[in-house]
Amino acid sequence: MNHPLIYILAGLLLTAVIVFLLIFFIRRKVGNATRQTADLGQMMDQVLNMGNYFVVEWDFSSNMLRNKYGNMLPGGSMKPEEFLRRMPPEEAQQLHNFNAQLATGAISHFSMNLSFNQGTPEQPEWRYFYGNAIAEMENGKPLYILYTTKDTTDEVLESRRIKTIASKYKKMFDTNLVAMSFYSADGHLIDLNNKMYELCQMQRGDEGYFRKSTLFSFPTLKDVYLPGSRETLHVCQHLKEPQLGIDKYIEFRIYPAMNDDGIFAYYIVTSRDVTAERNMHLEQRKQDQQLHAANKAIERHEKQLSYLLDECQMYLWSYHIAENMVNITRSPGQTEFCETIEEYLQTINAEARQQATAEMLRAIEQAKPYNTILPFDRTLFDSQPTWYSVSGIPLFDKDGQLTEFFGVSRNITDLMQAQEKLRIETARAEDSGRLKAAFLANMTHEIRTPLNAIVGFSDLLPTIDDDNEKKEFIRIIRNNCDMLLRLINDILEVSNIGQSLNITPADVDFPKVFNDICQTLEQRVQEAGVTFLKDNPYEHLHIQLDKGRIQQVVTNFVTNAVKYTKQGHIKVGYKTAPAPLQHSGGTPHDAADSQPGLYIYCEDTGAGIPKDKQDSVFERFVKLNDFVQGTGLGLSICKTIAERCGGCIGVHSDGEGKGSTFWIWIPCALPDSHPNHVNPDKSSITKP
């Protein structure tokens, strides 16, 4: 009887357990949903915070706007009317209309751009927002409207700044005085300014030709500037486009431009019409050429006039009456000398000065041409007495007043001295004839002497049987042949002096050349009791000189020494030395700072030379002893050779019977390594 109760209690207990489990699972599910909602809300907060978003709710029941997220509304809430007053009127009216449509269900949402003053009317703080609005409805009536907005103040201000800058640059681009255009990296036209339109003679909208073509296909740039070029191009070309009616000379500059990331972006093309400048330059060049030609012609005429004045010994003179000054010149357009009229008159010879002054004053008073011949003790051009022919004409100003005399003054001293010169030349011709006759007589005698010896001993030679005597005859014949040859060579050399006496220097090792010369000359020393000496101080000395002419000089020195030396020695030597201070008779002295050169001498113990005759031994036809064979030409030829080489020559002797030393100095460049090795066998003695 208790079993039904137990079943009832068991059912109630089971029901309680089931209810408890249901409540547990429901609470757990609600807790999870709450946590998910909290997490979602936190995530939404983070998203809104990261995106700088705001959420505002318009509660229709209280007619208040409240911040649901963020702080868009100052103070957290405000009336809708206050909100609209903080907006620009046009935007406020537009927002009001959208809200009305949303509240009536005409639209379900709308987007908006708001300008909202978060400050006060006295200190406005404008912020800019972009967002969306949705309405929560119940039974067809709005409960509230949610506004989700994003603060775009920075973007708006940056956009405005960029637009302002872009507008400025656009204005600068369009109003630039330089024609400019922009092309893309592939060469297509992007934009061009007003100056470029003007340059291309077209209106806006007429640039189709340029948009169809690329920068690289223009005839002026084709094959000159290639696609993808990264170099700046500057070129001036003739732009001729018949289809556009353009025929100009244009200066182009093409600049490759990079973006902020350093990537090539576009080309900047600047152009300038230089047609007018080119025409002006061509015209200026033409005028310059004409002016240059005129100046050249004037310069040529002035040179011709200066040449004529100079060659004719003529001077331009002018006497300015107001300044009382006389200007004299040989160069047209210039004043070389200037003096007063009184100073000018004082230079006239005293005997003719009074009459010359009277003639000049009379010409000035009468304003008539002036022409006279005057003797001058001196002039601005001459320090010696001269004769001048002076002529001039009067010059007048526009009122007919005499202002100056202008004319020419010619030196006629040569004409006045012509008679004296003729007498001198006549006397000189007569002297030349006498000298020629004396020279021919002297040459006839000199040539006859060795010829007689040659012919006489040659005729006797076949009749001689003694070998020693025959050798002596042959020696005499050879000596006279040599003497005759030297005589003829001297005569030929003298006839060529001043015409073809050439000096041809060559590289030589002079010690070797000197040895060869001495080897030849020592054969001429045949006198018993005379020793031939040579002084060769160097083993090597490489210099430049004409060894043939040097041999000719040394030969003449030794030949003269042989003639006048009967006892003692004949010594030939040389050394390197600067130029002697004394170039003729007397002992030479070296100058430490003068040009280096070669000093060659011939010393003998012969007859010597008197002091009063040492300066004349180098003149033509001078012989100190008429009984010694010779023409008196050898030393004259040596002097000419020394002068042609740029050197000097001289002789030193203490008087008769005391020997003499003839020397010559020739300038030549010495090697850097000089002095060279001294010749160990620098001197030798030859005894006959």
Side-chain angles (χ1 to χ4, degrees), residues 25-46:
F25 284 114
I26 290 172
R27 286 181 177 178
R28 184 176 180 180
K29 186 174 181 180
V30 170
N32 289 336
T34 301
R35 284 194 298 274
Q36 290 179 357
T37 301
D39 292 341
L40 182 60
Q42 187 177 3
M43 292 173 61
M44 289 297 295
D45 288 343
Q46 292 178 354

Side-chain angles (χ1 to χ4, degrees), residues 510-522:
F510 189 73
K512 294 182 179 179
V513 173
F514 184 76
N515 284 334
D516 294 341
I517 295 174
C518 291
Q519 185 177 2
T520 302
L521 294 178
E522 68 182 358

